[in-house]
Amino acid sequence: MAKRTPSAQELHRRAVATYVKAGGEESVQRVITAVQGLTKKLDQWYARQLVDLEVTAGEWAVVTSLAKAGEALTPSQLAELTNVAPSSMTHRLDKLAERGLVERTPDAENRTRIYVSLTDAGWQLFSVAIRGSDVVESDVLQDLSDAERGELARLLEVVIARLDDIDA
Amino acid sequence: MAKRTPSAQELHRRAVATYVKAGGEESVQRVITAVQGLTKKLDQWYARQLVDLEVTAGEWAVVTSLAKAGEALTPSQLAELTNVAPSSMTHRLDKLAERGLVERTPDAENRTRIYVSLTDAGWQLFSVAIRGSDVVESDVLQDLSDAERGELARLLEVVIARLDDIDA
DNA sequence: TGCTAATATTTCGATATCGAATACTTCGCA
DNA sequence: TGCGAAGTATTCGATATCGAAATATTAGCA
C-alpha cells in the first residue's frame, strides 16, 4: 500500500513553505498556490463528470468558451482561450462538428476567416453539464457565509481586472 | 484583422452571466470563474517562461510537485498530482531522468514501487524558475493591500480545507 | 502454505497535440 | 493598381497522452 496521499490542505501548506523558502513572498504564494490547488481539484471533478457525457476536457473547453463568449469565435480565438495550438483546434473542431455540437460558417467579408458557433445540441450539452457542476461548486464554497463569498469574489475580481495590463 | 479578443475582465463578466443564466448561483460562479480565469492566465505566463528553460508544462508540473511535496513520490502519486494518466508518467520520467533532473530509486521494502526524487540539477531548475515567476505573481496582486491579500488567502484556505471532504 | 485479489509500473496501439511548413486572402502603401 | 507583408486556417511529420492489457509483486485469508 502506498503512503497515503496527503490532504489538499497539507499539500497547500507544504507548497507555500517551499515557495517561500525558494524566495517567494508569503502573501503572494498563499494566494497563488490556493488558486491553483482549487483549480486542479475542480478540473479533476469536471473530468469525471465529462466522461459520462463522452466529451473530453479539451472539447468541453471549446463548448464553454463559445457559451461564455456569447458570440461566434474563430478557431484562433478558441485556441488562445483554451491554451492550445491553433493547429490542434482544427482537429478538435472536426470532431465536435462531426458530433453536431458546433458549426463552422465562413465569414462572407473575409474569406480567410471562419466562425465557429454552438448548435442547439451544443447548447443543450452545455446546460446539462453546468447543472451538474454547479452542485460540486456550491459544495466547495459551503463553509463561506454569503458575506465572505461576496468579499472573496470582489477581491478576485480586482485581480482579474489587473491581468490585461500585465501581459501587454 | 480579427475582432479584438475581449479583456479578461470582460470575459469574466460574460462568463458569470452565462453561468447564472444556465442555472448557476451567482455568488458561486463569480468565485469559481475568477479562480479559473486567473489560473489560465498564470498558465500562459508560465508556459512562456518555461520555453526559455526548455521544459514542457508537464515536466514542470512534475518538478514542482516533487519540490512542494518535500519528499520522494511514486509515479502514481505524480500522475495524480499532475492530472495525467499513470502510463503517461513513465515517458515523462524517462525524459526527465535522461536530462538528469529526477532520479528513480526502487523501494527496497516493496519491489513494485519506485520512488522519484529531484536531483541537485532538478532543484536548481526549480529555484531559477520560481525566482522568475514570483515577479509576475506579485504583479498580479499589485492592486491589493497587505490586509486584502491576507483576507483573500484566508478565504481561499477555508475553501481548500473543504476539498478533501468532498471527493471522498 | 497456497490461492485470489489488489497494487504499481510499464508496454502497446490508437489518438491528440505540437511546431513548422503550406495555401490562400487581405492589408498597407508606394 | 500592384506587390510585399501580415493574418488565418489547415496539412504534415514527430512526439505526447490515453486507456487497456501485460507483468510483477505484495496482501489477505481460508
Side-chain angles (χ1 to χ4, degrees):
Chain A
M1 181 71 70
K3 217 178 307 180
R4 208 182 67 70
T5 302
S7 68
Q9 197 171 15
E10 175 64 12
L11 286 175
H12 173 67
R13 205 190 52 71
R14 288 194 205 171
V16 171
T18 303
Y19 285 136
V20 169
K21 201 175 191 175
E25 247 185 279
E26 180 165 19
S27 70
V28 173
Q29 294 305 328
R30 278 177 68 199
V31 171
I32 300 293
T33 302
V35 164
Q36 290 180 329
L38 178 51
T39 300
K40 186 156 68 68
K41 265 290 184 231
L42 287 170
D43 285 346
Q44 287 178 351
W45 289 326
Y46 295 150
R48 283 191 213 164
Q49 192 188 350
L50 292 176
V51 171
D52 299 336
L53 299 173
E54 302 190 56
V55 186
T56 68
E59 290 167 343
W60 175 243
V62 172
V63 172
T64 54
S65 294
L66 287 170
K68 292 188 288 192
E71 61 187 0
L73 297 173
T74 67
S76 304
Q77 289 176 316
L78 284 168
E80 167 85 11
L81 287 169
T82 62
N83 283 358
V84 89
S87 59
S88 305
M89 191 51 62
T90 300
H91 184 238
R92 266 196 205 169
L93 294 176
D94 286 347
K95 302 297 293 273
L96 286 167
E98 228 171 71
R99 290 182 54 185
L101 297 172
V102 307
E103 202 172 35
R104 276 192 261 221
T105 57
D107 181 353
E109 294 176 0
N110 181 335
R111 290 186 300 174
T112 62
R113 200 180 304 160
I114 287 177
Y115 282 121
V116 181
S117 54
L118 283 180
T119 62
D120 288 349
W123 276 108
Q124 196 164 354
L125 174 73
F126 177 73
S127 299
V128 171
I130 288 306
R131 272 190 282 276
S133 60
D134 192 59
V135 175
V136 111
E137 292 160 356
S138 295
D139 283 351
V140 166
L141 301 188
Q142 193 175 326
D143 290 345
L144 297 181
S145 67
D146 282 351
E148 285 175 323
R149 289 185 195 193
E151 178 67 359
L152 177 52
R154 184 186 74 79
L155 293 169
L156 287 170
E157 282 162 358
V158 169
V159 175
I160 293 285
R162 193 97 192 63
L163 294 182
D164 298 303
D165 299 334
I166 295 179
D167 70 349
Chain B
M1 182 70 67
K3 219 179 307 181
R4 208 181 66 71
T5 303
S7 69
Q9 198 171 13
E10 175 63 14
L11 286 175
H12 173 67
R13 203 190 54 71
R14 287 193 206 170
V16 171
T18 303
Y19 286 135
V20 169
K21 200 175 193 175
E25 247 185 278
E26 179 165 19
S27 70
V28 173
Q29 294 305 329
R30 278 178 68 200
V31 171
I32 301 293
T33 302
V35 164
Q36 290 180 328
L38 178 51
T39 300
K40 187 155 67 69
K41 265 289 185 231
L42 287 170
D43 285 346
Q44 287 178 351
W45 290 327
Y46 295 151
R48 284 190 211 166
Q49 192 187 350
L50 292 175
V51 171
D52 299 336
L53 298 172
E54 301 190 56
V55 186
T56 67
E59 290 167 344
W60 176 243
V62 171
V63 172
T64 54
S65 294
L66 288 170
K68 293 188 287 193
E71 62 187 3
L73 297 173
T74 66
S76 304
Q77 289 175 316
L78 284 168
E80 166 84 12
L81 287 169
T82 63
N83 283 358
V84 90
S87 59
S88 304
M89 192 50 63
T90 300
H91 185 239
R92 267 195 204 171
L93 294 176
D94 286 346
K95 302 298 295 269
L96 286 168
E98 229 171 73
R99 290 182 53 183
L101 297 172
V102 308
E103 203 172 34
R104 276 192 260 223
T105 58
D107 180 354
E109 293 175 1
N110 182 335
R111 290 186 301 174
T112 61
R113 198 180 306 160
I114 287 178
Y115 282 121
V116 180
S117 54
L118 283 181
T119 62
D120 288 348
W123 276 107
Q124 196 162 358
L125 175 73
F126 177 73
S127 299
V128 170
I130 288 307
R131 272 190 283 276
S133 60
D134 191 59
V135 174
V136 110
E137 292 161 356
S138 296
D139 282 352
V140 166
L141 302 189
Q142 194 175 324
D143 290 346
L144 297 181
S145 68
D146 282 351
E148 284 175 323
R149 289 185 195 192
E151 179 66 1
L152 177 52
R154 184 186 75 78
L155 292 169
L156 287 170
E157 282 162 359
V158 170
V159 175
I160 293 286
R162 194 96 191 65
L163 293 182
D164 298 304
D165 299 335
I166 295 178
D167 70 350

